Amino acid sequence: MLKIVFMGTPAFSVPILKRLIDTHTVLAVVTQPDRPVGRKRLLTPSPVKEEAQKHGIPVLQPEKIRKQYEDILAFAPELIVTAAYGQIVPKAVLDAPPYGCINVHASLLPKYRGGAPIHQAIIDGEKQTGISIMYMTEKLDAGAVLSQQAVAITDEDDVQTMHDKLSAIGADLLEKTIVALEQGTIEAVAQDEDKATFAPNIKREQEVLDWHKPARALFNQVRGMRPWPVAYTLINGNRLKVWEANEIAGEHEREPGEILAATKQGIDVACGNGTILRLTVVQPAGKKAVLANHLLQGAHPFQVGKRLGEGHE
């Protein structure tokens, strides 16, 4: 059993921490400082901190780890494991453990380095993604890869389903990788920099549906933004979040964004290249998400011929 310091922050990291607690000695957990959450801006601990506290594990929360890392080194870990920690770890920490510092990353590196690999893989229409476990370096997600496991992405998947699959697979693969590290039976393989792609944190403008794009691209965008931050368009200048949608068969010669039909099946919208996207679960501004056909039972703004995406919030 190795003596490990674990570094992570969101819910994705929790199953990985749990597995380490079951199989090794977790000396301490390093996570982001408590942050204000919700409308009341209540100071809230990270999911990783909450899990560590359940097990009585010491928690460190440096605001800037580049300057505040001496307490981590004081634990003298044999191995440091990171998973979606959220800060660049300084060289002094990376070099300290005899077994090094390894990271569990939710993509098949060198593709999708950065903070939103699950979102971006779905948005890009990838048929698979996966988990990579690699040595940490000071360059973002650029270290040599120890192990990888691919996972299929289906049309039914969204960020939440892939998050859950990849988190569980990450815990399993990490356990096998650490065993191989201890036994000296694994070699790290350098990443091909020429094949590197990036998935930075989602920006506000990426949430907006551009109706000039083909329906398939918008279908992927809706899935790649669910359940957070949720893709949206405008109707009468008000935000309309789109939670669920489907590309449907058919052609049109209408302007992108124009409503073609509003029936119990959903709201059909003209997209680029003559394609059609059917909105099935939507959320008008200030209201809850509902099946689109529920909105059509009373007075509603989804008249055929109206164009979505026009106006200002």
Side-chain angles (χ1 to χ4, degrees):
M1 295 177 66
L2 289 180
K3 296 177 181 178
I4 293 173
V5 165
F6 179 74
M7 305 173 70
T9 298
F12 174 83
S13 312
V14 172
I16 297 164
L17 172 58
K18 287 181 177 179
R19 184 64 60 86
L20 289 174
I21 292 170
D22 290 341
T23 55
H24 295 277
T25 301
V26 179
L27 302 172
V29 160
V30 183
T31 190
Q32 295 280 56
D34 297 0
R35 303 295 189 196
V37 173
R39 291 183 179 180
K40 295 184 179 180
R41 311 301 292 162
L42 296 176
L43 205 60
T44 304
S46 72
V48 162
K49 179 179 179 178
E50 291 180 332
E51 186 63 30
Q53 290 178 327
K54 291 178 185 177
H55 298 272
I57 298 171
V59 177
L60 304 176
Q61 296 178 274
E63 188 70 47
K64 294 183 179 180
I65 194 172
R66 283 188 174 277
K67 297 180 179 179
Q68 301 165 289
Y69 57 79
E70 293 298 335
D71 289 346
I72 299 170
L73 300 182
F75 282 96
E78 296 174 289
L79 174 71
I80 291 176
V81 176
T82 73
Y85 169 52
Q87 294 190 49
I88 298 294
V89 180
K91 192 173 187 299
V93 175
L94 299 177
D95 292 345
Y99 284 94
C101 182
I102 62 176
N103 180 51
V104 182
H105 184 74
S107 82
L108 296 175
L109 293 169
K111 293 188 75 170
Y112 299 123
R113 296 175 180 178
I118 300 176
H119 291 79
Q120 200 62 54
I122 297 173
I123 291 168
D124 289 351
E126 296 283 357
K127 297 301 182 184
Q128 71 170 13
T129 184
I131 287 290
S132 298
I133 298 178
M134 83 287 192
Y135 281 117
M136 293 281 286
T137 68
E138 289 187 287
K139 186 178 178 181
L140 181 65
D141 298 329
V145 175
L146 288 160
S147 58
Q148 290 186 320
Q149 184 170 334
V151 183
I153 303 175
T154 71
D155 281 358
E156 288 70 42
D157 281 314
D158 61 13
V159 173
Q160 187 64 60
T161 62
M162 291 309 301
H163 170 283
D164 294 347
K165 290 178 188 179
L166 290 167
S167 182
I169 289 168
D172 290 340
L173 187 60
L174 175 65
E175 183 177 350
K176 296 173 185 176
T177 303
I178 291 177
V179 170
L181 270 178
E182 289 183 276
Q183 295 175 346
T185 57
I186 193 170
E187 289 187 12
V189 178
Q191 295 186 41
D192 185 342
E193 289 294 325
D194 292 337
K195 295 181 179 179
T197 63
F198 296 87
N201 291 333
I202 297 297
K203 297 181 175 62
R204 190 71 171 240
E205 56 268 24
Q206 290 177 274
E207 301 170 28
V208 183
L209 294 168
D210 178 357
W211 298 107
H212 291 84
K213 293 181 178 179
R216 183 70 189 185
L218 298 177
F219 167 71
N220 292 335
Q221 184 180 356
V222 169
R223 295 186 302 126
M225 294 283 169
R226 185 176 68 230
W228 181 90
V230 186
Y232 74 91
T233 187
L234 298 179
I235 185 164
N236 295 336
N238 296 312
R239 184 174 297 203
L240 179 74
K241 291 185 177 182
V242 179
W243 283 83
E244 295 185 24
N246 293 297
E247 180 187 19
I248 65 169
E251 296 180 356
H252 67 85
E253 295 181 357
R254 314 297 294 192
E255 288 295 314
E258 188 171 323
I259 296 175
L260 303 174
T263 68
K264 62 181 181 179
Q265 283 76 37
I267 302 161
D268 296 351
V269 185
C271 305
N273 297 345
T275 57
I276 303 170
L277 189 73
R278 176 170 289 165
L279 315 185
T280 54
V281 178
V282 295
Q283 183 179 3
K287 298 182 179 180
K288 295 181 179 180
V290 296
L291 291 169
N293 62 3
H294 288 180
L295 290 178
L296 304 178
Q297 294 174 5
H300 64 82
F302 302 103
Q303 288 79 28
V304 173
K306 182 185 289 290
R307 287 186 66 184
L308 300 180
E310 295 184 331
H312 300 280
E313 291 185 81

